[in-house]
Short mmCIF file of all heavy atoms in Angstrom, two decimals:
data_model
loop_
_atom_site.label_atom_id
_atom_site.label_comp_id
_atom_site.label_asym_id
_atom_site.label_seq_id
_atom_site.Cartn_x
_atom_site.Cartn_y
_atom_site.Cartn_z
N ALA R 28 70.01 102.92 86.82
CA ALA R 28 71.17 102.19 87.34
C ALA R 28 72.41 102.47 86.49
O ALA R 28 73.51 102.69 87.02
CB ALA R 28 70.88 100.69 87.38
N PHE R 29 72.24 102.50 85.19
CA PHE R 29 73.36 102.79 84.29
C PHE R 29 73.88 104.21 84.53
O PHE R 29 75.08 104.45 84.58
CB PHE R 29 72.95 102.60 82.82
CG PHE R 29 74.05 102.92 81.87
CD1 PHE R 29 75.09 102.03 81.67
CD2 PHE R 29 74.06 104.13 81.18
CE1 PHE R 29 76.12 102.33 80.80
CE2 PHE R 29 75.09 104.43 80.32
CZ PHE R 29 76.12 103.54 80.12
N GLY R 30 72.97 105.15 84.68
CA GLY R 30 73.36 106.55 84.92
C GLY R 30 74.13 106.71 86.22
O GLY R 30 75.14 107.41 86.28
N VAL R 31 73.66 106.06 87.29
CA VAL R 31 74.35 106.13 88.58
C VAL R 31 75.74 105.49 88.46
O VAL R 31 76.72 106.04 88.95
CB VAL R 31 73.51 105.43 89.68
CG1 VAL R 31 74.33 105.25 90.95
CG2 VAL R 31 72.25 106.22 89.96
N ALA R 32 75.83 104.36 87.78
CA ALA R 32 77.13 103.70 87.60
C ALA R 32 78.09 104.60 86.82
O ALA R 32 79.27 104.71 87.15
CB ALA R 32 76.95 102.37 86.88
N ALA R 33 77.59 105.27 85.81
CA ALA R 33 78.43 106.17 85.01
C ALA R 33 78.92 107.33 85.87
O ALA R 33 80.09 107.72 85.79
CB ALA R 33 77.67 106.68 83.80
N LEU R 34 78.05 107.90 86.69
CA LEU R 34 78.45 109.01 87.55
C LEU R 34 79.49 108.56 88.58
O LEU R 34 80.45 109.28 88.86
CB LEU R 34 77.24 109.60 88.27
CG LEU R 34 76.31 110.45 87.42
CD1 LEU R 34 75.07 110.82 88.23
CD2 LEU R 34 77.02 111.69 86.93
N LEU R 35 79.32 107.37 89.12
CA LEU R 35 80.29 106.85 90.08
C LEU R 35 81.64 106.63 89.42
O LEU R 35 82.68 106.91 89.99
CB LEU R 35 79.78 105.55 90.71
CG LEU R 35 78.65 105.71 91.71
CD1 LEU R 35 78.14 104.35 92.16
CD2 LEU R 35 79.10 106.53 92.90
N ALA R 36 81.63 106.11 88.20
CA ALA R 36 82.88 105.87 87.48
C ALA R 36 83.62 107.18 87.24
O ALA R 36 84.83 107.27 87.40
CB ALA R 36 82.61 105.15 86.17
N VAL R 37 82.90 108.21 86.84
CA VAL R 37 83.52 109.51 86.60
C VAL R 37 84.03 110.08 87.92
O VAL R 37 85.11 110.67 87.98
CB VAL R 37 82.52 110.48 85.93
CG1 VAL R 37 83.05 111.90 85.92
CG2 VAL R 37 82.20 110.01 84.53
N GLY R 38 83.29 109.89 88.97
CA GLY R 38 83.65 110.44 90.27
C GLY R 38 84.76 109.68 90.98
O GLY R 38 85.24 110.11 92.00
N CYS R 39 85.24 108.56 90.44
CA CYS R 39 86.26 107.75 91.09
C CYS R 39 87.67 108.31 90.92
O CYS R 39 88.58 107.88 91.59
CB CYS R 39 86.23 106.32 90.56
SG CYS R 39 84.79 105.41 91.16
N LYS R 40 87.83 109.25 90.03
CA LYS R 40 89.16 109.84 89.83
C LYS R 40 89.52 110.61 91.10
O LYS R 40 88.80 111.48 91.55
CB LYS R 40 89.16 110.78 88.64
CG LYS R 40 90.51 111.43 88.40
CD LYS R 40 90.40 112.39 87.25
CE LYS R 40 91.70 113.11 87.06
NZ LYS R 40 91.86 114.25 87.93
N PRO R 41 90.69 110.26 91.69
CA PRO R 41 91.07 110.95 92.92
C PRO R 41 91.33 112.44 92.66
O PRO R 41 91.87 112.81 91.64
CB PRO R 41 92.36 110.25 93.36
CG PRO R 41 92.67 109.23 92.34
CD PRO R 41 91.63 109.27 91.28
N SER R 42 90.94 113.27 93.61
CA SER R 42 91.17 114.71 93.50
C SER R 42 92.63 115.02 93.81
O SER R 42 93.21 114.46 94.72
CB SER R 42 90.29 115.46 94.49
OG SER R 42 88.95 115.26 94.18
N ALA R 43 93.20 115.93 93.04
CA ALA R 43 94.57 116.36 93.29
C ALA R 43 94.55 117.50 94.31
O ALA R 43 93.68 118.35 94.28
CB ALA R 43 95.21 116.81 91.99
N VAL R 44 95.52 117.46 95.23
CA VAL R 44 95.65 118.53 96.23
C VAL R 44 96.98 119.24 96.00
O VAL R 44 97.93 118.66 95.48
CB VAL R 44 95.56 117.97 97.67
CG1 VAL R 44 94.20 117.36 97.94
CG2 VAL R 44 96.66 116.96 97.95
N PRO R 45 97.07 120.51 96.38
CA PRO R 45 98.30 121.27 96.14
C PRO R 45 99.52 120.65 96.83
O PRO R 45 99.46 120.26 97.99
CB PRO R 45 98.00 122.64 96.74
CG PRO R 45 96.51 122.72 96.79
CD PRO R 45 96.03 121.32 97.01
N VAL R 46 100.60 120.56 96.06
CA VAL R 46 101.87 120.06 96.59
C VAL R 46 102.96 121.03 96.14
O VAL R 46 103.20 121.19 94.94
CB VAL R 46 102.18 118.64 96.09
CG1 VAL R 46 103.58 118.20 96.53
CG2 VAL R 46 101.13 117.65 96.58
N LYS R 47 103.59 121.69 97.11
CA LYS R 47 104.70 122.62 96.83
C LYS R 47 105.94 122.07 97.51
O LYS R 47 105.88 121.70 98.69
CB LYS R 47 104.38 124.01 97.34
CG LYS R 47 103.20 124.65 96.63
CD LYS R 47 102.92 126.03 97.18
CE LYS R 47 101.71 126.63 96.46
NZ LYS R 47 101.40 127.98 96.90
N VAL R 48 107.04 122.02 96.77
CA VAL R 48 108.27 121.50 97.35
C VAL R 48 109.43 122.46 97.09
O VAL R 48 109.39 123.27 96.16
CB VAL R 48 108.62 120.09 96.83
CG1 VAL R 48 107.52 119.10 97.15
CG2 VAL R 48 108.93 120.10 95.35
N LYS R 49 110.44 122.32 97.93
CA LYS R 49 111.70 123.01 97.74
C LYS R 49 112.79 121.95 97.76
O LYS R 49 112.73 121.02 98.58
CB LYS R 49 111.94 124.04 98.84
CG LYS R 49 113.26 124.79 98.68
CD LYS R 49 113.40 125.93 99.65
CE LYS R 49 114.69 126.68 99.34
NZ LYS R 49 114.77 127.93 100.07
N VAL R 50 113.76 122.08 96.86
CA VAL R 50 114.85 121.11 96.78
C VAL R 50 116.16 121.84 97.08
O VAL R 50 116.48 122.84 96.43
CB VAL R 50 114.92 120.46 95.37
CG1 VAL R 50 116.05 119.45 95.32
CG2 VAL R 50 113.59 119.81 95.01
N THR R 51 116.89 121.32 98.07
CA THR R 51 118.22 121.84 98.37
C THR R 51 119.22 120.69 98.31
O THR R 51 118.85 119.52 98.51
CB THR R 51 118.30 122.51 99.76
OG1 THR R 51 118.00 121.54 100.77
CG2 THR R 51 117.35 123.69 99.87
N HIS R 52 120.46 121.02 98.00
CA HIS R 52 121.54 120.04 98.02
C HIS R 52 122.67 120.64 98.83
O HIS R 52 123.17 121.72 98.50
CB HIS R 52 122.00 119.70 96.61
CG HIS R 52 123.11 118.71 96.57
ND1 HIS R 52 124.31 118.99 96.00
CD2 HIS R 52 123.21 117.45 97.07
CE1 HIS R 52 125.10 117.93 96.12
NE2 HIS R 52 124.45 116.98 96.77
N ASP R 53 123.01 119.97 99.91
CA ASP R 53 124.02 120.47 100.84
C ASP R 53 123.72 121.91 101.25
O ASP R 53 124.59 122.77 101.31
CB ASP R 53 125.43 120.35 100.23
CG ASP R 53 125.86 118.89 100.07
OD1 ASP R 53 125.33 118.04 100.81
OD2 ASP R 53 126.70 118.61 99.20
N GLY R 54 122.44 122.18 101.49
CA GLY R 54 121.99 123.46 102.02
C GLY R 54 121.73 124.55 100.99
O GLY R 54 121.25 125.62 101.35
#
């Protein structure tokens, strides 16, 4: 039970997905 709880706690970190942005100001 302790091992499963530890694995769940480690696995709770949300996965990051790629985010690409472009910034323009007045075109």
